[in-house]
Amino acid sequence: MALSAIGLCSRALLRLGATTIASFEEGTAESEVAANLYPPLRDAVLSSHPWSFATAQATLSRLAADPVADWEAAYQLPADFLRVLSAGPEGTGRGLSYRLAEKRLLCNSDDVTLTYIFRPDEAAFPPFFDQMLIARLTAEFCIPITESTSRAQFLFRLAEDEFRRAKLIDAQQHTPVAISDFPLVEVRS
């Protein structure tokens, strides 16, 4: 069952023994904490690992204004962009030297294919990510809701365990990266 942002926050609050919420605008302490902590935490957790469900590729649009120095071209980043994984010339998702500056990608290429982390809708989160995010939200909500630092420390340790478990599950959803162009492997041939 896919959870909404409210559902994820409510489950975290429930784990703390706090009152669940039906909206971020309820005016309760719980809804205020959730409304202020959830969006940046969600984006930070999504950005922290190349999650398979939050990875996309896009051909970028070149901007009319060229960079002032060091680079030949500037490209517009996608609206849902969170973090770059790699960039490549036309039809290739990697191999290009680039720099991010002023919410633009700067490079020396006429075409850019960007591989990046985006912000998916909560309904697209897989169950292993939901559980990890709920554990992290529980830890983050603990001090503002319960004022217990010792409980918060314990919850952060549990959240780190869930994070490692989620990364392991996510890593099993694609072919492992093989070592290529490594001199010691080439010498054996």
Side-chain angles (χ1 to χ4, degrees):
M1 180 173 106
L3 295 172
S4 65
I6 298 296
L8 292 164
C9 291
S10 287
R11 294 226 176 146
L13 290 165
L14 191 61
R15 285 185 175 189
L16 287 174
T19 306
T20 60
I21 59 171
S23 166
F24 286 130
E25 291 83 28
E26 287 180 355
T28 63
E30 291 85 358
S31 67
E32 188 174 327
V33 166
N36 286 297
L37 296 181
Y38 176 74
L41 180 64
R42 174 205 54 215
D43 289 353
V45 172
L46 284 167
S47 298
S48 67
H49 178 73
W51 303 105
S52 58
F53 67 92
T55 301
Q57 288 186 315
T59 301
L60 300 184
S61 300
R62 187 170 182 162
L63 297 170
D66 288 336
V68 174
D70 301 326
W71 303 99
E72 294 173 6
Y75 291 87
Q76 180 67 50
L77 294 170
D80 59 357
F81 170 85
L82 290 175
R83 179 173 76 108
V84 171
L85 295 176
S86 62
E90 181 180 354
T92 307
R94 63 187 179 137
L96 192 64
S97 294
Y98 63 89
R99 180 177 180 166
L100 293 182
E102 299 175 350
K103 298 183 181 181
R104 303 175 300 158
L105 185 132
L106 309 176
C107 66
N108 295 329
S109 179
D110 292 329
D111 296 296
V112 175
T113 300
L114 181 71
T115 304
Y116 68 103
I117 299 296
F118 70 99
R119 182 185 306 110
D121 185 68
E122 282 81 358
F125 292 171
F128 64 85
F129 188 82
D130 282 346
Q131 291 307 305
M132 182 271 301
L133 186 55
I134 290 167
R136 182 62 189 271
L137 287 167
T138 304
E140 292 285 344
F141 292 175
C142 187
I143 292 177
I145 299 292
T146 68
E147 298 180 2
S148 173
T149 56
S150 60
R151 187 173 178 195
Q153 289 173 341
F154 172 73
L155 291 170
F156 273 109
R157 283 194 299 274
L158 291 178
E160 280 301 312
D161 290 344
E162 283 292 332
F163 183 70
R164 281 191 291 279
R165 188 175 299 114
K167 287 191 329 184
L168 180 64
I169 293 168
D170 189 65
Q172 296 171 0
Q173 297 192 44
H174 55 82
T175 305
V177 177
I179 297 173
S180 62
D181 299 331
F182 189 63
L184 294 178
V185 174
E186 292 172 9
V187 170
R188 289 184 167 180
S189 299

